[in-house]
């Protein structure tokens, strides 16, 4: 069965540094991969989508890479701010219908001043 | 941006009762909506895909008679947890597909069954 691992349950960094989160997956070849932000008691908020034929995608301070050979995606937040503190979720498509997703457990990021 | 409204945000009920959760797309039409469930410290798990005007498609292991899904219009899908039991206590989240590459999630419903 599909397995998604996000490198650590928690990551603490200092404001201004770059946060790097890892998502590894097995037993699957997704057509695309997505990253979401989730705050406590709230639904996920879409951040970025990267397709299997794309190696990198950027949006403002966010950057995502996708290595289908390693079965890994890296999610970077540059110039991190305390407001970036949240749980970040990696999600893979389950095929056939856009929106059917496998989610990782998430990495809780804390950015301290 | 597109907004998905989910109601109620939390509900407490007695064991054996039924609870209905609504999911609305406020400023776009969603032919397809999705229902997820999330236990504390766990990942979101897809329960079912809801298609407007047709029967929902349930994921393996999800009881369709217990989790009734209705998608009567292009902006509304409902999830009814029938004969709820304490083990059904969870965070339920809906999502709707907007344009090609974006999904929009509701704010979730925390269900507590006593």
């Amino acid at each position: 069965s599909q397995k998604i691992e996000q490198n650590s349950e928690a990551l603490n960094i200092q404001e201004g540094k770059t946060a790097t989160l890892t998502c590894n997956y097995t037993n699957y070849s997704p057509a695309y991969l997505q990253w979401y932000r989730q705050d406590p008691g709230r639904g996920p908020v879409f951040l970025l989508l990267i397709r299997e034929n794309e190696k990198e995608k950027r949006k403002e301070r966010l950057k995502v890479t996708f290595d289908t050979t390693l079965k890994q995606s890296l999610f970077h937040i540059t110039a991190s701010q305390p407001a970036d503190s949240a749980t970040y979720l990696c999600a893979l498509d389950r095929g056939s219908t856009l929106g059917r997703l496998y989610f990782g457990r998430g990495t809780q990021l804390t950015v301290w001043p | 941006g597109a907004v998905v409204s989910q109601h109620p945000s939390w509900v407490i009920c007695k064991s054996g009762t039924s609870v209905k959760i609504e999911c609305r797309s406020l400023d776009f039409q969603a032919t397809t909506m999705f229902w997820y469930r999330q236990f504390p410290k766990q990942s979101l798990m897809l329960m079912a895909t809801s298609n407007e005007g047709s029967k929902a498609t349930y994921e393996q292991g999800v009881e369709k008679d217990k989790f009734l899904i209705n998608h009567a219009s292009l902006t509304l899908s409902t999830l009814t947890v029938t004969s709820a039991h304490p083990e059904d206590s969870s965070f339920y989240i809906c999502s709707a597909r907007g344009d090609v590459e974006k999904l929009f999630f509701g704010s979730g419903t925390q269900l507590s069954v006593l």
Side-chain angles (χ1 to χ4, degrees):
Chain A
S1 63
Q2 173 58 242
K3 187 174 180 181
I4 303 173
E5 288 187 356
Q6 294 193 238
N7 59 323
S8 58
E9 200 171 308
L11 179 65
N12 300 309
I13 64 168
Q14 188 176 22
E15 183 176 9
K17 302 291 186 184
T18 297
T20 298
L21 286 66
T22 304
C23 175
N24 294 292
Y25 59 93
T26 59
N27 300 331
Y28 198 56
S29 295
Y32 58 86
L33 183 149
Q34 302 184 33
W35 284 89
Y36 288 83
R37 169 182 174 142
Q38 186 176 26
D39 290 288
R42 308 290 293 178
V45 174
F46 172 82
L47 296 175
L48 282 167
L49 178 150
I50 187 165
R51 297 188 179 279
E52 59 179 339
N53 61 349
E54 298 174 316
K55 294 205 178 296
E56 181 179 300
K57 209 157 193 179
R58 292 175 186 259
K59 179 183 175 183
E60 298 173 352
R61 294 185 295 111
L62 309 180
K63 184 177 85 171
V64 172
T65 63
F66 194 10
D67 188 325
T68 56
T69 301
L70 292 178
K71 295 187 182 291
Q72 181 183 79
S73 174
L74 299 179
F75 177 76
H76 306 272
I77 305 175
T78 58
S80 59
Q81 306 165 358
D84 295 326
S85 299
T87 296
Y88 291 86
L89 310 175
C90 166
L92 307 180
D93 76 286
R94 297 169 73 123
S96 74
T97 304
L98 177 68
R100 295 180 66 240
L101 301 172
Y102 291 110
F103 277 90
R105 289 190 181 186
T107 295
Q108 185 173 347
L109 173 67
T110 301
V111 181
W112 45 278
Chain B
V3 176
V4 173
S5 174
Q6 191 172 337
H7 179 80
S9 55
W10 59 269
V11 57
I12 302 172
C13 69
K14 292 183 179 180
S15 184
T17 60
S18 294
V19 174
K20 179 185 282 188
I21 302 169
E22 292 188 349
C23 180
R24 295 180 184 271
S25 55
L26 295 185
D27 52 0
F28 67 101
Q29 294 184 331
T31 54
T32 305
M33 291 187 176
F34 306 89
W35 287 95
Y36 288 83
R37 179 166 55 179
Q38 186 178 32
F39 292 105
K41 300 286 188 182
Q42 300 296 312
S43 60
L44 277 80
M45 296 296 292
L46 179 65
M47 298 175 67
T49 301
S50 169
N51 298 296
E52 186 267 336
S54 64
K55 290 183 179 180
T57 302
Y58 291 82
E59 297 300 319
Q60 191 173 10
V62 178
E63 299 176 59
K64 60 181 179 182
D65 294 330
K66 180 169 187 61
F67 299 100
L68 301 180
I69 292 173
N70 183 276
H71 195 156
S73 76
L74 287 172
T75 60
L76 174 63
S77 176
T78 61
L79 167 68
T80 301
V81 183
T82 63
S83 186
H85 291 285
E87 58 266 29
D88 297 323
S89 298
S90 186
F91 192 54
Y92 292 86
I93 310 173
C94 69
S95 70
R97 195 167 66 197
D99 63 27
V100 176
E101 294 191 345
K102 286 187 179 178
L103 288 172
F104 300 95
F105 282 80
S107 55
T109 298
Q110 182 63 52
L111 170 64
S112 296
V113 184
L114 304 178

